[in-house]
Amino acid sequence: MGMPGVAKSELLKELYLEDLENNLKSVVLCFTNKAVHNLRQRGVPNCHTFDSWFYRAERKADAIMVDEFTTVPKRWFEKLSKIKCRKPDTAFRFFGDPDQCHALRLWYDYSQSKLLYRLSQGNQVVIPYKVETGRYDSTMGR
């Protein structure tokens, strides 16, 4: 987690590429087509909207990464939870800013929830703002 401009998407890309090197099948899920497009442009080809991935015949993944998890409505978290129950070894990684872009309907703050804790096996990293790589100057990055 981290505020805008801390390179969450770059970290997501690095983890995706690391999974490929380790022969793991990873998928990145986004709530919007725009987010999918942006990540594909950055070099993450196996990136889909929740709708397109969940309604595919084959949905196999060793790792599921969710970009901008705060925009994801409750129904998709319920489906992710079912995957974790059926395949407990599936790794889940969530990227986003809890203070940014909430889903319009049926939104819940998952950033501190037991569900997110269970899906991510209790791992949570808050990325600090770095002025040299961030979008804002030092006064905005505090």
Side-chain angles (χ1 to χ4, degrees), residues 1 11-20 22 24-29 50 62-69 77 80 84 89-96 116 119-121 123:
M1 289 190 282
L11 176 60
L12 184 153
K13 176 184 167 183
E14 288 174 23
L15 292 172
Y16 177 85
L17 295 174
E18 186 178 299
D19 285 347
L20 284 179
N22 293 319
L24 296 173
K25 181 170 173 67
S26 290
V27 64
V28 178
L29 300 178
F50 278 84
D62 299 308
I64 297 174
M65 294 185 239
V66 178
D67 190 37
E68 298 298 351
F69 76 93
F77 274 99
L80 294 175
K84 189 67 168 179
D89 292 339
T90 304
F92 284 88
R93 302 176 188 130
F94 297 90
F95 299 81
L116 194 71
L119 290 174
S120 63
Q121 297 176 321
N123 296 312

Side-chain angles (χ1 to χ4, degrees), residues 47-74:
C47 187
H48 307 275
T49 62
F50 278 84
D51 286 311
S52 68
W53 192 72
F54 273 103
Y55 295 109
R56 297 170 75 123
E58 183 179 326
R59 297 188 311 252
K60 296 181 180 174
D62 299 308
I64 297 174
M65 294 185 239
V66 178
D67 190 37
E68 298 298 351
F69 76 93
T70 61
T71 65
V72 178
K74 179 180 164 184

Side-chain angles (χ1 to χ4, degrees), residues 113-133:
S113 71
K114 290 179 182 178
L115 175 61
L116 194 71
Y117 183 87
R118 184 176 67 83
L119 290 174
S120 63
Q121 297 176 321
N123 296 312
Q124 186 180 81
V125 175
V126 178
I127 304 170
Y129 189 80
K130 298 175 187 170
V131 175
E132 60 274 6
T133 59

